[in-house]
Amino acid sequence: METRNRYEDLARAVSAIGAVKRGVARVLPAHCQGGAAAVLSLVQHHGDMRMSRLAELMAVDMSVCSRHVAHTVEHGWIERLPDPDDRRSRILRLTTDGHGMLDELDRRVTEAFTRHLREWSDDDVALLTVLLGRLRDSFGDCRAAHA
């Protein structure tokens, strides 16, 4: 297969991932959709952090990050604490309720994948996981300037 067609096929396949993302979004609780779920997951994975670091990890502008964080704070899943190194800044920390919401999100998403991929082999699921990670790593920081 020539290179152009291979990448055209890949572009179509990646576009189709939107359907998968929408399917996953449908299993999330109405009050904890994608942006809030990403905040919770990143704070759990990377630990307490400033909003600027979270925006960097999410690859979004501070204004977008701020809206998602405000939602999680309103629901009691994240708390904002004074930064001991700079009292003007705040550190984001996952609360007990935030851990509980993450458990719920993990359960729902895992059940959805289990249901939809039940006929896939363990090796196929593992390969997809590795390849999706490689794809994401190949794109690096999505906020980088366009060439």
Side-chain angles (χ1 to χ4, degrees), residues 40 75-79 93-103:
L40 297 176
H75 283 83
W77 303 324
I78 292 283
E79 59 185 342
R93 176 176 293 157
L94 201 58
T95 65
T96 301
D97 286 348
H99 284 284
M101 177 50 66
L102 273 168
D103 290 344

Side-chain angles (χ1 to χ4, degrees), residues 19-83:
V20 174
K21 290 177 67 174
R22 287 186 298 277
V24 169
R26 282 192 288 276
V27 303
L28 298 179
H31 61 288
C32 189
Q33 288 294 302
V39 168
L40 297 176
S41 179
L42 288 168
V43 173
Q44 178 187 44
H45 182 76
H46 295 279
D48 300 354
M49 68 181 78
R50 288 183 178 178
M51 180 110 56
S52 57
R53 174 70 175 139
L54 180 61
E56 179 182 302
L57 291 169
M58 292 179 74
V60 298
D61 292 331
M62 283 291 287
S63 62
V64 173
C65 184
S66 182
R67 281 195 307 273
H68 292 311
V69 167
H71 180 81
T72 62
V73 169
E74 288 169 13
H75 283 83
W77 303 324
I78 292 283
E79 59 185 342
R80 292 182 183 127
L81 304 169
D83 183 341

